[in-house]
Amino acid sequence: MKPKIVVFTGAGISAESGIKTFRDSGGLWENYQIEQVATPEGWARNPKLVLDFYNQRRIQANNAEPNKGHLALVTLEEKYDVHIITQNVDNLHERAGSSKITHLHGELTKSRSSLEPSLIYDVRGNFLNMGDLCELGSQLRPHIVWFGEAVPEMSRAIDIMQNVDVFIVIGTSMQVYPAASLMDYVSNNTAIYVIDPDAPRVRTNNIEYITEKASLGVPKMVAQLLKKV
Ligand code: APR
């Protein structure tokens, strides 16, 4: 059986693909107030603004390409059972070729019913518009976990955290919960790597910090891990 690796990624892994991270944008997110575009209250107040915002994010993500960080993780699968748990809503891990991916905060390429959350659809192309309806006749919303909403994929992510040999954290400030609490499910004998130029000091023991950008740090770490087995 291959050793098990869980890779927990955040906005930093996609930064070099041209997608801005959240916490270095000074309270604004691509010039929008986060409360207006990424909360249920914002959606209730002005759904068109929210759809326009995510249409722009979708255009940006669809035009971006996976970088060396995303690509290096794919080669890890040669020798490891690799599970990616990402906070990112882009699909750059999928497009790089990783096979097991859990999106904690939703996916830009999907929409869902604003009435019945289990009704989830693919967004064809870049745009989700006012008047695009689910089969029950209600407006479709972006399939994104907004601030203040539950994180339905969290229980699946916690299951994945069982019996992990290596836990790798890439490009996340570890400030958003419950996602950041995945770290609490790592056992004492799990090796931990953190790759981030401005690495959050999440714990003191057992961690190897690689304070580099993902495009450099991830291939280095992957080469190291591939040599071990
Ligand atoms: N390579 C690796 N890490 C990088 C790079 C890079 N090239 N550039 C920046 N970083 C790091 C930053 O140092 C920071 O620690 O990426 C991290 C980005 O942190 P955030 O912007 O807070 O992003 P993230 O942790 O993914 O945010 C979590 O917050 O708004 C929500 O739902 C949204 O999923 C998101 C969540």
Side-chain angles (χ1 to χ4, degrees):
M1 216 168 68
K2 291 176 175 175
K4 180 174 178 181
I5 293 188
V6 172
V7 188
F8 180 51
T9 64
I13 196 168
S14 296
E16 291 160 272
S17 296
I19 300 178
K20 264 196 204 148
T21 61
F22 304 101
R23 284 180 181 79
D24 38 3
S25 38
L28 289 182
W29 191 5
E30 301 276 3
N31 298 323
Y32 287 80
Q33 298 284 348
I34 288 174
E35 312 76 59
Q36 288 182 355
V37 293
T39 61
E41 295 76 20
W43 172 249
R45 210 176 299 126
N46 191 345
K48 181 169 184 324
L49 181 80
V50 175
L51 291 178
D52 289 346
F53 172 74
Y54 283 102
N55 286 342
Q56 288 173 34
R57 304 282 69 73
R58 202 172 293 111
I59 292 169
Q60 187 185 43
N62 285 342
N63 286 330
E65 295 295 334
N67 64 53
K68 288 179 184 165
H70 301 100
L71 294 167
L73 292 176
V74 182
T75 62
L76 260 188
E77 295 188 17
E78 291 165 14
K79 293 195 177 169
Y80 293 88
D81 175 26
V82 181
H83 298 251
I84 294 180
I85 302 177
T86 186
Q87 297 166 91
N88 298 343
V89 296
D90 65 54
N91 63 358
L92 295 178
H93 285 302
E94 282 86 349
R95 283 165 52 206
S98 285
S99 54
K100 296 176 188 167
I101 304 161
T102 300
H103 283 270
L104 279 182
H105 293 162
E107 295 171 73
L108 281 171
T109 54
K110 294 184 178 163
S111 67
R112 75 167 182 265
S113 165
S114 51
L115 196 65
E116 173 44 61
S118 65
L119 295 175
I120 297 166
Y121 306 89
D122 288 333
V123 177
R124 281 187 213 93
N126 287 326
F127 298 100
L128 186 61
N129 294 312
M130 292 303 289
D132 291 344
L133 307 178
C134 76
E135 64 217 58
L136 302 176
S138 82
Q139 175 65 43
L140 289 172
R141 58 165 275 180
H143 181 49
I144 302 285
V145 174
W146 288 325
F147 288 95
E149 293 190 313
V151 181
E153 289 295 289
M154 193 64 196
S155 57
R156 197 163 111 95
I158 291 169
D159 286 346
I160 294 170
M161 291 302 292
Q162 305 306 308
N163 305 316
V164 179
D165 297 294
V166 183
F167 184 61
I168 302 169
V169 178
I170 307 170
T172 170
S173 58
M174 300 293 271
Q175 285 186 31
V176 171
Y177 283 80
S181 67
L182 279 184
M183 195 70 173
D184 302 337
Y185 295 87
V186 175
S187 72
N188 286 337
N189 40 20
T190 302
I192 306 172
Y193 293 82
V194 175
I195 300 166
D196 193 311
D198 187 17
R201 301 278 147 176
V202 278
R203 251 205 210 176
T204 45
N205 303 329
N206 265 354
I207 300 190
E208 183 168 333
Y209 286 99
I210 301 175
T211 45
E212 283 185 290
K213 290 185 171 183
S215 65
L216 279 174
V218 181
K220 265 188 207 171
M221 176 207 58
V222 166
Q224 212 175 307
L225 285 169
L226 288 175
K227 270 193 219 138
K228 282 192 180 170
V229 283

